[in-house]
Amino acid sequence: MFDEKSHSLKMDKAIEVFSKELSSLRTGRANSAMLDLIKVDVYGQQMPINQVGSITTPEPRMINIQVWDQNNVPLVDAAIKKSELGLNPQIDGQLIRLPIPELNEERRTELKKLIKAMGEKCKISIRNIRRDANEELKKLLKSKEISEDDEKSYEKNVQNITDKHIITVDEKVSNKEKEIMTI
């Protein structure tokens, strides 16, 4: 039998990944989630920053990273500089300070385009999941496990689920754009 729930869960997962990517975007306020996507090359492997030090936001425009191992400070510094966040780390012993500058109009527009592109990528993966579901339905119809009426009904359900997920992505995109454009 056809399991539309599993396809819906895959779509939920795609939106979850999209939300995580969105939270890592810089909005002008300090947010430790901004550093989630940055990986540091330590001990012969790629590790997230939160596994080599503790991250705090003491002020709205400052992120502090207390690196646990003194030898990792330059590695964390290099990883932050290489990232596309546009932040300049200030090193004070084992403490790395990241001042978060105000977003200028040009950067806001750039971020808006980036958010739209991320949203589009998420929608594409949702549509791919729909396509997989429809292909599965066609195989079930061909092997006579379901009737044509069942196939149409399932296809309609899959389309409804897809539409709901696409609307969710659009809402997330517009909310993030509003957040970025708010000064």
Side-chain angles (χ1 to χ4, degrees):
M1 268 320 279
F2 180 71
D3 181 22
E4 57 192 54
K5 193 110 182 127
S6 70
H7 296 287
S8 177
L9 288 172
K10 286 178 189 173
M11 290 180 190
D12 289 342
K13 191 74 179 153
I15 288 180
E16 198 179 299
V17 168
F18 173 61
S19 298
K20 192 162 177 61
E21 284 178 349
L22 272 187
S23 71
S24 72
L25 277 182
R26 191 157 70 85
T27 57
R29 286 189 302 275
N31 177 2
S32 61
M34 292 167 44
L35 305 174
D36 284 354
L37 298 178
I38 301 175
K39 301 280 188 256
V40 185
D41 197 8
V42 290
Y43 311 121
Q45 62 183 351
Q46 297 283 319
M47 295 175 82
I49 288 181
N50 64 5
Q51 289 183 8
V52 293
S54 51
I55 303 170
T56 56
T57 51
E59 303 166 29
R61 296 213 167 276
M62 179 73 70
I63 297 177
N64 287 347
I65 305 166
Q66 181 67 49
V67 183
W68 297 316
D69 184 351
Q70 177 72 46
N71 300 329
N72 293 341
V73 173
L75 300 171
V76 174
D77 178 45
I80 292 169
K81 285 180 178 169
K82 261 191 269 176
S83 74
E84 294 175 8
L85 290 176
L87 299 175
N88 275 333
Q90 300 166 348
I91 299 172
D92 181 12
Q94 284 179 252
L95 181 71
I96 298 177
R97 289 191 180 91
L98 292 172
I100 311 295
E102 282 280 342
L103 289 176
N104 59 15
E105 197 59 38
E106 184 181 317
R107 180 71 177 141
R108 287 176 200 271
T109 313
E110 225 174 85
L111 284 173
K112 208 171 166 182
K113 285 180 190 169
L114 186 63
I115 291 167
K116 274 192 177 20
M118 290 162 84
E120 201 49 50
K121 207 166 77 175
C122 183
K123 286 184 199 175
I124 289 169
S125 57
I126 288 171
R127 289 185 196 116
N128 286 340
I129 294 166
R130 176 189 61 193
R131 187 194 63 222
D132 292 345
N134 289 341
E135 284 173 3
E136 190 180 319
L137 283 170
K138 282 186 181 30
K139 283 180 190 164
L140 288 171
L141 178 66
K142 206 172 199 177
S143 65
K144 300 204 181 341
E145 290 180 43
I146 59 172
S147 67
E148 279 188 36
D149 291 342
D150 286 343
E151 186 212 16
K152 293 291 175 220
S153 151
Y154 281 133
E155 254 181 31
K156 197 176 205 172
N157 291 348
V158 167
Q159 186 58 50
N160 288 340
I161 292 169
T162 304
D163 292 342
K164 283 180 191 154
H165 283 83
I166 295 285
I167 288 169
T168 305
V169 170
D170 287 337
E171 286 170 356
K172 286 184 177 295
V173 166
S174 69
N175 289 343
K176 191 67 174 184
E177 283 177 348
K178 279 185 200 129
E179 185 184 330
I180 281 186
M181 295 318 266
T182 309
I183 300 174

